[in-house]
Structures are given as C-alpha cells and as structure tokens.
Amino acid sequence: MTGRLPQWLKKKYRDNGRLHSVKAMLRKRGLNTVCESARCPNIAECFSKPTATFIILGNVCTRSCGFCSVDKGHPELIAEDEPVNVAEASLELDLRHVVITSVTRDDLPDKGAGQFARTIDAVREIYKDDRRDGCPTIEVLTPDFSGLAESIRIVADRRPEIYNHNLETVPRLYKKVRPQADYERSLNLLGMVKDFYPDIITKSGIMVGLGERTDEVIAVMKNLWKAGCDVVTIGQYLMPTKKNLPVVEYIKPDVFDYYKSEGGKMGFKQVESAPFVRSSYNSAPEHQNTRSPVNSQQ
C-alpha cells in the first residue's frame, strides 16, 4: 500500500531535546534499544518520559522476519558488560519499569537465555545497592529460544513481573512474516511460563495490516487465552524500511476498538488495541504503579 497515511496514523508528539539526550546516554554505554532498531513511531514520546526497551545480545539477528528492520547476519560475541550497562542506564534514567528484549540468537547453545538472566540480576542488584525505594518492575520480551524448555525456564526462574513473547501475526501469514518461527511453538512458550510460575504476567502482541482477516485475529486471541496469556497488544504494522513487507491495509480505529472489546469479553486482564500500540508501548501495567521491594524476587 502506498500513498499518504490516514489521519489517525499521523503522530503529533515530538520532544527532540529529550530524544537526543537519551540517545546520547545510550550510545555512551554502548546500548541498543528496540525503539531505535525497529524505528518505532513512539520513540520521541517514550524517550521523553523516559522509558526504553533495551536490546541485549547485540544488534544483529540470526533470523529474517519480513516486518523487522533489525540487521540480519552473523552476530558478534556477547558483550560481558552488557547486563551492567543496562542496569546503569536504567538507574540513570530512574526507570520504574525496565523492558529487556533481544535479537534472536539461534547460534548460542542456550539461545541467549543466560544473558537475560544476568541482565535481570544486574538491574535488581544495582537498585538494591543504590538503596532506592525498591526495584523497578521488569518485563522481558524474549524470542522463542527455539522452543527449548530449559532456556525458557532459565528466564522464568528469575521471576520477571511480565514475560512477553509476541506471536506477531496470524498462522496463515507465518511463512511470509516469520519464516523461521512456528506459531504453535510460540503458543507453547507462553503456556510453559504460566505452568512454571502462574503469578508471572504473560503477554503477547500481534500486528495488523499485513493481510490478516478479522476472524483470524479473533482466533489468535482465543488461542492466547487458552494458553493462559494475561495481556494482549494489537497495533498497526507500519513498514520500517523499503526492504520490509509492505502494508496491505491501514486498519481503522473502530476495528481496534472491536478487538479490545472482544478481548475484554474473553477475560484478558488487559487488552491494548489501537493504531500506535506496540508491544512495549506504555508497557507497565496500570496496577503496578509502584516499585517492587528489592528482595521480592530473591
């Protein structure tokens, strides 16, 4: 789809001063954020709060999803100081909710799960040492770890408040959108986390506008509910670069409202459905507006 964006997809918010200062701090620590790598339209708004979703395990992915603008290829070695750098950046920004995600690392024996665990530990430790009034809540947005239960367990054992893994699209479009992923494998991951620790909030998101039908989106939501997922996010796909998949349709706001309404009827704890919704946008759940005790996950 070409041409001008519809009115409801024109972003008005901009605070370039705060945007550049946060970017400078991240570059100083050698960190990447999904906000930048995925060319998120909410970046100026989020950085002004400030919030950020940190990408660990480098910035080169071993998979080639059609929607994603992150570099693909042969990743570099894991940076040993990456967990500490994420922790220090979180403290400097005084974050109350830290979101940690990663590129997919199919080249690693544990698929990168250990680095997630080390990063969670580092964030909690630095806040504890700083003697602040508690740690921020922590959300992880993980790849599928190739379905390895032991890797999924490594991350879940650190008891992040939220465990997020995105389905991204409907099963029919997986070969085009996520050619190296598997729909059932992703559903199973969410179910495993819930089986390991029922109190962890599980979360998943999909993009719309890639050619899916409304009934297919509803079917995905029902599958997520059956898998024990607590929170669902639904947002408009926007082509980040000319190399990525084209937008098939700009979904109207009333359709997003319909998805939100149907999700509420299904019983999800939270459904965020709107054109600019992204997996980590305004990600701290409303009922977690205070910090967790520093030793709550020990």
Side-chain angles (χ1 to χ4, degrees):
M1 177 173 285
T2 58
R4 293 187 176 183
L5 290 173
Q7 192 63 37
W8 65 83
L9 282 172
K10 293 180 180 178
K11 197 76 171 174
K12 297 178 181 179
Y13 190 96
R14 200 76 181 174
D15 182 354
N16 287 325
R18 186 59 175 166
L19 174 67
H20 293 311
S21 66
V22 174
K23 280 187 174 183
M25 187 275 292
L26 294 169
R27 296 296 82 76
K28 179 180 70 174
R29 299 189 183 281
L31 294 173
N32 304 293
T33 67
V34 73
C35 323
E36 298 166 280
S37 297
R39 307 191 181 197
C40 179
N42 302 316
I43 184 171
E45 181 180 352
C46 291
F47 276 15
S48 71
K49 290 183 178 180
T51 62
T53 299
F54 299 104
I55 294 182
I56 61 172
L57 297 166
N59 59 3
V60 179
C61 188
T62 56
R63 295 190 185 177
S64 52
C65 295
F67 65 89
C68 184
S69 62
V70 172
D71 290 339
K72 288 84 173 172
H74 301 288
E76 63 271 23
L77 295 175
I78 296 176
E80 293 184 3
D81 60 350
E82 189 176 58
V84 171
N85 284 332
V86 169
E88 290 177 346
S90 300
L91 191 68
E92 185 171 340
L93 291 169
D94 195 26
L95 299 184
R96 294 186 173 271
H97 185 71
V98 177
V99 186
I100 304 163
T101 189
S102 78
V103 294
T104 298
R105 293 295 301 261
D106 292 321
D107 58 311
L108 301 173
D110 71 349
K111 312 305 176 186
Q115 190 77 335
F116 270 94
R118 288 186 287 273
T119 305
I120 293 169
D121 289 346
V123 170
R124 288 182 174 144
E125 189 63 29
I126 200 169
Y127 276 80
K128 183 178 179 180
D129 290 346
D130 195 67
R131 300 184 182 278
R132 301 204 177 190
D133 59 343
C135 280
T137 51
I138 294 178
E139 175 175 344
V140 293
L141 169 55
T142 74
D144 62 20
F145 296 131
S146 298
L148 295 177
E150 56 267 36
S151 292
I152 299 166
R153 183 83 192 227
I154 286 171
V155 181
D157 279 349
R158 288 310 194 272
R159 304 294 294 276
E161 279 78 10
I162 302 175
Y163 196 120
N164 187 353
H165 174 68
N166 288 333
L167 293 185
E168 306 291 10
T169 189
V170 301
R172 178 175 58 85
L173 298 178
Y174 256 57
K175 287 185 179 180
K176 178 174 71 172
V177 178
R178 301 184 73 199
Q180 295 138 301
D182 181 86
Y183 181 78
E184 292 297 331
R185 183 167 67 200
S186 287
L187 275 178
N188 290 339
L189 181 154
L190 292 163
M192 273 192 270
V193 173
K194 210 62 175 174
D195 288 341
F196 294 151
Y197 296 105
D199 59 323
I200 291 179
I201 296 172
T202 49
K203 176 179 174 183
S204 189
I206 64 170
M207 303 168 290
V208 291
L210 285 161
E212 71 293 323
R213 301 187 308 270
T214 302
D215 64 296
E216 291 179 305
V217 174
I218 296 299
V220 168
M221 294 172 71
K222 289 179 178 177
N223 288 338
L224 285 169
W225 171 250
K226 291 176 183 177
C229 187
D230 298 306
V231 179
V232 175
T233 60
I234 304 172
Q236 171 71 51
Y237 169 68
L238 295 173
M239 186 171 62
T241 75
K242 293 180 179 180
K243 296 180 180 179
N244 294 109
L245 291 171
V247 176
V248 175
E249 180 183 6
Y250 293 123
I251 307 302
K252 293 182 178 179
D254 63 321
V255 178
F256 286 103
D257 292 341
Y258 169 70
Y259 292 145
K260 185 177 181 70
S261 175
E262 290 301 300
K265 293 175 185 176
M266 291 178 199
F268 288 103
K269 290 182 178 179
Q270 186 176 348
V271 180
E272 296 296 331
S273 177
F276 283 114
V277 165
R278 295 296 181 267
S279 182
S280 303
Y281 179 53
N282 286 338
S283 57
E286 293 178 358
H287 62 277
Q288 290 187 343
N289 56 8
T290 58
R291 298 189 181 192
S292 301
V294 291
N295 62 351
S296 66
Q297 308 301 322
Q298 302 303 315

